Amino acid sequence: EREIEREIEKRKREEALAAKKREKSKENNSSKGKNTANKGKDKTATAQKNEPAPKVDRREEPVVNPNSQGMKKLTGTFLQNKGRLPVPITGPYMIVGQFGLQRGVTGKGNVQIDYGGITLQGKRGAQARAVFDGVVTSVVRAGDFAFIIVRHGTYLTVYCKVENIKVAQGDKVKTGDILADVATDASGSTTLLFQLRNEKTKLNPRP
């Protein structure tokens, strides 16, 4: 949990700094453009007369991603698709850990544990997949396994206990894209911890 919190805060600082740099660069370019606009008008007009018309590539991007065959195409925003998002794990699964405070955890007596997400148990070979279009903001290895954070506007989805990562920071992903393999621990359990957040606020992933 603490590692995820630190990573989210780190990425927010980096994104804010990058935004400031882009704004400053935009202002500088705008200033330069005003000084050279008049000089370039005559040259541009002459070049346009002599240049042939550019060829237009009419090929379209595939509508269905190879990793999301058979999944319904979603439209609208992340929030507008509440209750329609696919589960983040492939193949058959069971939810074995619920969101929020849980009592009577095995081996913990009456201690309450606050789970920041849900735990999905799948079959060996299961994979973690993106639940919506977004951008991979973090891929972090923590101990034996790793976690991946994908940003969907102000919403973040977190996929924990994964291995054999298929994506990298900055990659754009589509609904159903495979992000990694779900790790199988020493006891033979293949479980994915999935979290949903609106920036720092933890949300229940179940609709």
Side-chain angles (χ1 to χ4, degrees), residues 17-46:
L17 182 60
K20 287 182 180 179
K21 288 183 178 179
R22 286 195 299 269
E23 187 63 29
K24 188 174 182 180
S25 177
K26 185 178 179 181
E27 290 175 359
N28 292 337
N29 291 336
S30 177
S31 178
K32 291 179 182 178
K34 289 179 181 178
N35 295 331
T36 59
N38 292 331
K39 293 181 181 179
K41 282 183 180 179
D42 293 337
K43 292 182 180 180
T44 302
T46 303

Side-chain angles (χ1 to χ4, degrees), residues 4-6 18 22-23 64 74 95 103 109 118 135-136 141 143 165 187 189:
I4 294 172
E5 298 284 354
R6 286 197 295 267
R22 286 195 299 269
E23 187 63 29
V64 179
L74 301 176
I95 297 179
R103 292 178 179 274
I118 59 174
V135 178
V136 177
R141 283 165 178 80
I165 312 298
S187 68
S189 178

